Amino acid sequence: MKILHTSDWHLGHQLHGYSRDYEHQTFLDWLADTLEKQQIDALLVAGDIFDTANPPASAWRMLYRFLARVAKSLPNLDVVMIGGNHDSPSKLDAPHELLKAFDLHMVGGIHRDENGQLDHDRMLIPITNKQGEQAAWVLAVPFLRSADLRTEDLDEDDDRLIKGVETLYGEMTEAARALQTDQQALIGMGHAYMASGKLSEMSERRVLGGNQHALPASIFADDITYVALGHLHLAQRVAKKEHVRYCGSPIPLSMSERNYAHQAVIVELDGKAVSQIESIVIPRTVDMLKVPSSPAPLEQVLEALEALSVDEVPREQQPFLEVHVLLDKPQALLREKVLQAIDGKAVRLAKITPHYQQQEQQDSLNHRRLSDVSPEQVFALSWAKKYQGEPDEAMASAFEQLLIQVEDAQDGDAVRSEGGK
């Protein structure tokens, strides 16, 4: 049996105001071609299908057009998609019954009955091989918010978030084992921040409470054959385990991800065992340029930009440009000077990053756009100004807990708003 693992599509994403529709459509076309050429039996999409909880209609059209294509060209393909922290659980769950009729399974959120019991059937999905035989059970566990977890009966000494996630996966694994036959594999899915995972700047969050709540690989039982993870945009193994992986995002979602080798993962199973894991590189359709390679004075930067040579291509294919300038003090009309230097060139100015000489980090932050600064950096700067030092571990942990609570509250408001509509 052959499985293709992908994640973090972020359909509807914009990079500094520029649409990514061309790149996403090119990726989806490549993905459909790859599924057909490789004769894949099951496609697993591990969360963050969309970039926001309220994606534009164009993003939904793109998704449905892709699903319609593969349903027609590969009628026996099983598709399993789970919600990520960027997705709306209720929106993803809405077309569930319709998609299920075509072996397209979309699990947006956790479901429990009136007694609080987990709906295992909703998240346990059978997938079949080319002979039409069921070859595996997929534990399609979406992004877990704190409200999804049951922590009332846990010991006070336990980390409640980690233990709550571990308990939920344990319950799902037991339910799968009760249905599993001798030759059927168990495939785990999740959208989470795992311990030792490498984050990219400004693109991802340490969901579920920050670094102190990074989930250990031990939440997945030893008899789970492969674990398809989403959330981190850099493809990587977890805890040096070959079978527990992030496949990464299909396109760079920030300028800091320009050097990532974006990829999908093909997993071949022989019964309960993995026979082969292969990473296949996704073609880059739009370049990301950094000029100059390291910060330089404005005059040198403008000269480098004027000397920049790029091919003439349609607007949606033009490279994104990030400019790094070394300054003594804030420069008036900086953006206008940069735009003048690239006038007539087939590039899209995404970001200008000023670097200030002989200034402390807290001073340089004063001259950066709010969108370029993380909440943690703002908190650290404010703390340093008031208390002349860095916040201790307990205070940093408390701040990250507040961030998670704010995100959970915003998710709840979005769900209630959808219900009102």
Side-chain angles (χ1 to χ4, degrees), residues 354-372:
H355 301 262
Y356 294 92
Q357 296 176 335
Q358 299 178 346
Q359 288 189 341
E360 298 179 359
Q361 180 186 15
Q362 64 187 59
D363 292 328
S364 66
L365 284 177
N366 290 334
H367 304 292
R368 293 173 63 180
R369 293 173 180 266
L370 185 59
S371 60
D372 293 338

Side-chain angles (χ1 to χ4, degrees), residues 80-83 92-93 105-109 111 122-123 125 140 142:
V80 184
M81 313 177 84
I82 61 172
L92 291 192
D93 283 335
H105 304 269
M106 194 177 293
V107 182
H111 294 264
R122 180 76 172 81
M123 294 183 289
I125 298 172

Side-chain angles (χ1 to χ4, degrees), residues 198-201 203-204 232-236 247-263 281-282 284 288:
K198 183 179 179 181
L199 291 159
S200 69
E201 182 185 4
S203 289
E204 304 130 334
L232 300 191
H233 300 167
L234 176 66
Q236 56 194 287
C247 62
S249 60
I251 65 173
L253 295 161
S254 74
M255 297 300 289
S256 64
E257 297 176 12
R258 68 169 62 83
N259 295 322
Y260 285 8
H262 295 273
Q263 58 193 252
V281 175
I282 300 169
R284 179 76 62 87
M288 288 186 161

